[in-house]
Amino acid sequence: QVQLVESGGGFVQTGQSLKLTCVGSEDIFRISVMGWYRQAPGQQREMVARMTNGHRTMYADSVKGRFSIFRDDEKRTLYLDMYDLKPEDTGLYYCNADRGPRYPAVWGAGTQVVVSS
């Protein structure tokens, strides 16, 4: 069974940084669009950043210029560097592997990020 395991979340103050990591249990990275999503309490899950296997990136407007996504397919690892964190960045951050319409998406269990003001 394919698994994604996130780590790196934590409790930080406004303006600080965090680096999230997601490791895959199988070599799905090469055929997947990998992404980070987040869900704040009482809100819907939203896309934060995605990277295709050609390393094309997409970011939510709210994180552009502050967050950076990177993938290392050899290590089956996805990263999210988060700078200048704001309280509105608080949420449970999920790693996602999108293998296209023929396969179900794969989600990790999430890693919690809390940014205090």
Side-chain angles (χ1 to χ4, degrees):
Q1 184 178 358
V2 178
Q3 288 186 324
L4 298 173
V5 179
E6 304 95 335
S7 62
F11 186 98
V12 297
Q13 295 184 333
T14 297
Q16 292 187 323
S17 303
L18 281 174
K19 185 183 187 76
L20 304 185
T21 300
C22 168
V23 180
S25 63
E26 293 183 16
D27 192 13
I28 63 171
F29 274 59
R30 297 182 191 277
I31 61 171
S32 300
V33 175
M34 299 300 301
W36 289 99
Y37 291 71
R38 68 186 179 192
Q39 187 167 17
Q43 297 187 21
Q44 291 187 332
R45 191 176 301 187
E46 63 174 354
M47 188 276 290
V48 175
R50 302 181 82 205
M51 178 176 272
T52 69
N53 52 7
H55 287 227
R56 184 164 58 92
T57 58
M58 293 156 274
Y59 292 96
D61 287 343
S62 60
V63 306
K64 284 181 181 176
R66 299 188 298 120
F67 290 13
S68 180
I69 187 171
F70 181 73
R71 59 191 288 169
D72 185 334
D73 291 354
E74 293 295 325
K75 296 181 179 179
R76 303 198 301 266
T77 303
L78 181 72
Y79 304 95
L80 184 69
D81 287 318
M82 305 187 294
Y83 302 100
D84 190 23
L85 283 161
K86 306 175 186 299
E88 51 264 42
D89 295 318
T90 293
L92 190 58
Y93 281 68
Y94 297 93
C95 180
N96 168 268
D98 179 358
R99 297 174 291 176
R102 296 175 58 188
Y103 301 94
V106 180
W107 294 92
T111 184
Q112 184 70 48
V113 173
V114 177
V115 185
S116 67
S117 58

